[in-house]
């Protein structure tokens, strides 16, 4: 089962509300379980973070964990000590990618936020993911 457009809008709207608390212009990306883009919103963020939001979401979806958790695993494995930035076909292991689960607890996609600090991006993405629980 994958996230549909209607639910992606719900997640995006919740993430937008959280971003307003920080007054941070972010880009938000929603992907399905295969890492394919379902929805993208750019809130006047700088151009460079558009790809980051997509890659964070894709990383979370493909590994079924937050993008920051994947970075910790890679770093702990001493692969390169810094995470796998832009390797593995464009994954990004920085905070801001969060899996989205449905009411039954099954992963249906992921949301990525980029444009704030890593902590802000993670909180914004988490707010979006939590909107579907």
């Amino acid at each position: 089962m994958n996230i549909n457009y209607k639910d992606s809008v719900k997640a995006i709207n919740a993430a937008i509300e959280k971003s307003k608390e920080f007054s941070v212009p972010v880009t938000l990306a929603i992907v399905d379980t295969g890492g394919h883009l379902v929805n993208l919103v750019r809130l006047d963020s700088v151009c460079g973070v558009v790809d980051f939001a997509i890659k964070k979401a894709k990383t979370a979806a493909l590994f079924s964990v937050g993008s920051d958790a994947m970075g910790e695993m890679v770093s702990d494995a001493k692969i390169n000590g810094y995470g796998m930035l832009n390797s593995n076909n464009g994954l990004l292991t920085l905070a801001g990618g969060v899996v989205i689960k449905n009411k039954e607890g099954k992963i249906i996609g992921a949301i990525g936020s980029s444009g704030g600090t890593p902590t802000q991006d993670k909180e914004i993405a988490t707010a979006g993911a939590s909107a579907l629980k």
Side-chain angles (χ1 to χ4, degrees):
M1 180 173 192
N2 281 305
I3 191 165
N4 59 38
Y5 177 76
K6 182 180 171 186
D7 285 340
S8 77
V9 170
K10 229 185 237 184
I12 290 278
N13 287 336
I16 288 170
E17 289 307 309
K18 188 66 173 180
S19 73
K20 288 178 182 177
E21 291 178 25
F22 297 120
S23 298
V24 174
V26 295
T27 292
L28 302 165
I30 305 276
V31 299
D32 64 17
T33 57
H36 306 285
L37 192 62
V38 174
N39 201 338
L40 178 80
V41 175
R42 182 175 167 213
L43 304 174
D44 297 325
S45 61
V46 296
C47 295
V49 301
V50 173
D51 285 341
F52 284 2
I54 296 168
K55 290 175 182 181
K56 288 177 182 183
K58 185 176 179 181
T59 301
L62 294 179
F63 291 98
S64 301
V65 297
S67 56
D68 57 334
M70 191 61 203
E72 290 171 16
M73 286 184 256
V74 171
S75 184
D76 287 348
K78 307 260 188 274
I79 291 174
N80 67 16
Y82 296 101
M84 53 184 180
L85 297 175
N86 295 314
S87 66
N88 235 356
N89 197 26
L91 302 179
L92 190 61
T93 58
L94 301 172
V98 176
V99 295
I100 299 173
K101 296 179 180 181
N102 63 14
K103 291 178 181 169
E104 291 79 37
K106 303 238 186 240
I107 295 174
I108 58 172
I111 181 170
S113 174
S114 192
T117 67
T119 301
Q120 290 170 332
D121 284 343
K122 185 174 181 176
E123 286 187 42
I124 292 165
T126 300
S130 297
L132 300 182
K133 289 185 178 178

